[in-house]
Amino acid sequence: LYTIKFEEGWWCGRRTQVGGENMPSTAPVFDEPNKLANSLPARLIGETIDEYKEKYGLFVNPVSDRAKYKHIDGKDQIRVYVSGVFDMFHFGHARYLMQAKNMFPNTYLICGVSGGQTTHELKGQTVYTQEERLECVRHCRYVDEVLCPSPWFQTLEFLQEMKVDFTVQNPEPYPCGDVADIYQPLKDAGLFLPTLRTEGVSTSDFITRIISAYDLYLERNLLRGVSRHDLGINFLTEKRMQVARQVDIVTKKINGLIAGFIQFFYAPISDRIVEYLSPPPALPDNTEQTGTPAFEDNRQTVTVPK
């Protein structure tokens, strides 16, 4: 790992060296399941290569028409830049970075993480601090270098200063103030590459999931010894949660006693009632020549007198 100062932020990254030379990352090789590069997710034990390709092939979509991008002619390694908030880092973020890493066979991926103050002003409060978001991205296997804090959006001048060949983002227009799409100049210049969004997965979705089960997680943390001051609740709320927990415990005990009583007393009685009310078994159809019904066992035929 190495770190250098970049303007008012920190530029952090890693390089793999073999024999004293920098070794670039390799393109994904789906045909070699036991030699998956760092540009792909880890393979699940027992997962077949076909299952693996079906799950992640959609997100590995390299640039096929490289010839139309004249500014990368003759380049072996392509420098790609992505950016984001990356709050509560999740697999949707990881897939976004994975797509960027696999845009070219030899991609050097630089990831910008927005600063805390800028994010709070433009997007709102985050769960993770700036340092926590930075550490999450630094530990992602697809990222080669990290810029934090990074600009909220990229300009042509920024990409030139960073010596970046492409920026990778969601293709949907990103409005800002009076500008309909802040990335339109980069799209017009051929420096923008689109990614696929992982539907149904976002930081907002996870926060909503937590809020919807607020009492459950509040009780969970109280039981683990977190103080009401750290949880931001008052004395009455804490006592309400404690009373509700005790009521729940007593209710479960009473329900258990009732269920045991029913199982012990009611089940045998119900079996007897069913047996009493059930019709007798049908007689076997066995008739003598006289037309008198008879019961037959293995030894003899007994005729019932009229």
Side-chain angles (χ1 to χ4, degrees):
L1 286 172
Y2 63 95
T3 306
I4 61 174
K5 192 74 178 293
F6 180 81
E7 294 182 347
E8 295 182 357
W10 291 96
W11 183 277
C12 312
R14 64 174 180 268
R15 289 175 182 162
T16 303
Q17 293 190 348
V18 179
E21 297 181 357
N22 290 334
M23 300 298 294
S25 347
T26 57
V29 184
F30 276 128
D31 295 330
E32 300 182 43
N34 296 323
K35 298 180 181 180
L36 294 177
N38 284 342
S39 55
L40 290 173
R43 184 178 172 217
L44 184 67
I45 293 178
E47 185 177 40
T48 66
I49 192 63
D50 290 334
E51 293 172 337
Y52 187 87
K53 290 170 65 175
E54 180 180 0
K55 187 169 186 179
Y56 294 108
L58 178 66
F59 294 96
V60 179
N61 189 24
V63 174
S64 57
D65 51 351
R66 172 172 173 161
K68 77 175 185 178
Y69 301 107
K70 303 300 182 182
H71 66 288
I72 59 173
D73 282 348
K75 285 191 175 183
D76 177 40
Q77 187 177 72
I78 307 302
R79 292 170 63 86
V80 173
Y81 181 86
V82 297
S83 66
V85 178
F86 301 105
D87 193 22
M88 298 181 66
F89 192 90
H90 50 73
F91 72 89
H93 293 139
R95 286 185 178 179
Y96 165 51
L97 297 173
M98 179 186 71
Q99 293 178 74
K101 183 69 173 178
N102 289 285
M103 286 294 178
F104 297 92
N106 187 6
T107 299
Y108 191 82
L109 184 61
I110 305 167
C111 182
V113 179
S114 61
Q117 181 177 352
T118 303
T119 303
H120 296 162
E121 292 175 354
L122 298 178
K123 194 169 184 178
Q125 182 64 38
T126 58
V127 178
Y128 288 1
T129 65
Q130 175 180 308
E131 290 73 20
E132 290 167 342
R133 293 184 288 111
L134 167 61
E135 285 301 311
C136 288
V137 173
R138 290 185 68 177
H139 286 79
C140 180
R141 67 193 300 172
Y142 312 123
V143 178
D144 296 297
E145 287 186 318
V146 182
L147 174 63
C148 181
S150 66
W152 190 252
F153 61 92
Q154 299 88 57
T155 62
L156 290 170
E157 294 74 21
F158 173 79
L159 296 187
Q160 291 171 358
E161 184 178 1
M162 298 286 294
K163 297 180 173 59
V164 168
D165 300 305
F166 294 98
T167 185
V168 175
Q169 298 286 345
N170 188 307
E172 296 297 324
Y174 194 108
C176 184
D178 298 332
V179 181
D181 185 5
I182 59 177
Y183 290 112
Q184 192 60 50
L186 302 182
K187 295 176 180 178
D188 295 338
L191 303 178
F192 183 96
L193 296 175
T195 59
L196 292 176
R197 182 180 178 85
T198 302
E199 296 297 335
V201 180
S202 70
T203 300
S204 298
D205 293 333
F206 291 126
I207 293 177
T208 301
R209 190 183 304 177
I210 294 173
I211 293 175
S212 64
Y214 172 77
D215 285 348
L216 178 65
Y217 289 113
L218 189 62
E219 179 184 1
R220 171 183 179 270
N221 279 12
L222 285 172
L223 289 174
R224 294 191 174 195
V226 181
S227 70
R228 65 180 179 86
H229 300 287
D230 292 334
L231 292 172
I233 61 175
N234 57 35
F235 174 80
L236 293 178
T237 301
E238 181 185 22
K239 294 306 176 184
R240 176 180 65 82
M241 298 297 298
Q242 292 174 350
V243 171
R245 183 167 65 252
Q246 293 301 322
V247 170
D248 185 59
I249 292 174
V250 173
T251 302
K252 288 180 179 178
K253 287 183 178 180
I254 293 175
N255 290 338
L257 291 174
I258 293 175
F261 177 84
I262 293 175
Q263 182 67 24
F264 185 78
F265 291 101
Y266 176 74
I269 295 174
S270 63
D271 291 342
R272 293 173 187 172
I273 293 175
V274 171
E275 181 180 359
Y276 178 79
L277 296 178
S278 299
L283 298 177
D285 186 14
N286 189 0
T287 308
E288 295 290 342
Q289 293 181 355
T290 58
T292 304
F295 296 98
E296 182 177 14
D297 59 17
N298 295 329
R299 295 168 298 173
Q300 61 181 350
T301 301
V302 181
T303 303
V304 180
K306 295 183 179 178

